[in-house]
Amino acid sequence: MPGIDPARVALWGSSFSGGTVIAAAVEDGRVAAVSSQGGMLDGLAALQHLLNVEGPVQVGKVSALAALDLARSKLGFSRITLPVVGAPGSMAVLTTPDAEPGYTALTPPDWVNAISLSWMLTLPLFRPNLIASRLPCPTLFCIAVDDAVVPPSAVEDAARRAGAKATVCRYPRGHFDIYVGEGFEDSVRDQTAFFIEHLKP
């Protein structure tokens, strides 16, 4: 593309896409820098966290609905959905105490709180942390140390595996706090400085 320097392409991702950018950078091999903010780096650890917080009965119900959603999609029937966020204990994908107020603070008035479920069957297999040692470029890991949505320990593991290519910024905040107010300002400042440093012409 005209005006694009292929040697200065960076990736940025947050939450689930914070894990996706790690996988994409490893697969591509040409990315100049990556920033992963509050990233979902280990789906298996996230599942274990859900089992601890929600219990096996709740996780079992959602898993059964996910399997049914997959079957219906293969047969051409309408999809099964659940709310993306809900109150603790409700039938929703994210039910931590901060999930509903944190998520809805970021969405437009016409946002529909619903998501299909078949993707959840592959969540335990989504483990970008395990390939972080193969990252081709400097990578910033922004960790919300009080994160109740994605396990901070998985992000720490990915940074450890990345070795000298990793830069780590830790924030004493929850998952949604890095999108608003001082949490947003802090993470944006650090990420901007990181990209300026590593994307110089």
Side-chain angles (χ1 to χ4, degrees):
M1 295 176 59
I4 302 299
D5 183 351
R8 296 172 63 220
V9 174
L11 301 180
W12 176 90
S14 189
S15 197
F16 214 107
S17 65
T20 302
V21 293
I22 300 298
V26 169
E27 181 177 349
D28 182 81
R30 298 166 296 174
V31 175
V34 174
S35 178
S36 174
Q37 173 182 272
M40 168 67 78
L41 272 296
D42 189 342
L44 181 59
L47 176 60
Q48 292 168 338
H49 174 71
L50 282 175
L51 286 168
N52 292 335
V53 174
E54 301 291 347
V57 173
Q58 179 84 337
V59 173
K61 288 179 181 178
V62 174
S63 298
L65 288 174
L68 184 57
D69 178 46
L70 177 62
R72 289 178 64 87
S73 69
K74 296 294 185 183
L75 295 172
F77 296 124
S78 61
R79 305 296 297 267
I80 294 176
T81 65
L82 280 181
V84 177
V85 291
S90 65
M91 284 293 288
V93 174
L94 298 177
T95 59
T96 58
D98 62 338
E100 191 169 29
Y103 208 104
T104 54
L106 307 173
T107 55
D110 59 349
W111 174 67
V112 178
N113 185 14
I115 189 172
S116 60
L117 301 175
S118 59
W119 63 272
M120 297 187 72
L121 298 174
T122 62
L123 179 62
L125 304 177
F126 183 72
R127 308 188 71 189
N129 62 310
L130 298 184
I131 59 172
S133 61
R134 294 158 49 196
L135 279 162
C137 60
T139 301
L140 175 63
F141 295 91
C142 295
I143 304 174
V145 297
D146 298 324
D147 201 321
V149 176
V150 301
S153 59
V155 190
E156 296 281 4
D157 178 60
R160 179 184 58 79
R161 291 173 186 267
K165 292 178 180 173
T167 299
V168 178
C169 289
R170 297 176 180 87
Y171 309 96
R173 295 183 169 88
H175 188 77
F176 296 97
D177 297 330
I178 51 179
Y179 299 106
V180 294
E182 291 184 3
F184 174 78
E185 297 298 333
D186 289 344
S187 63
V188 167
R189 181 193 63 242
D190 293 339
Q191 292 176 87
T192 300
F194 172 80
F195 281 130
I196 290 173
E197 178 184 355
H198 294 290
L199 297 178
K200 291 178 181 177

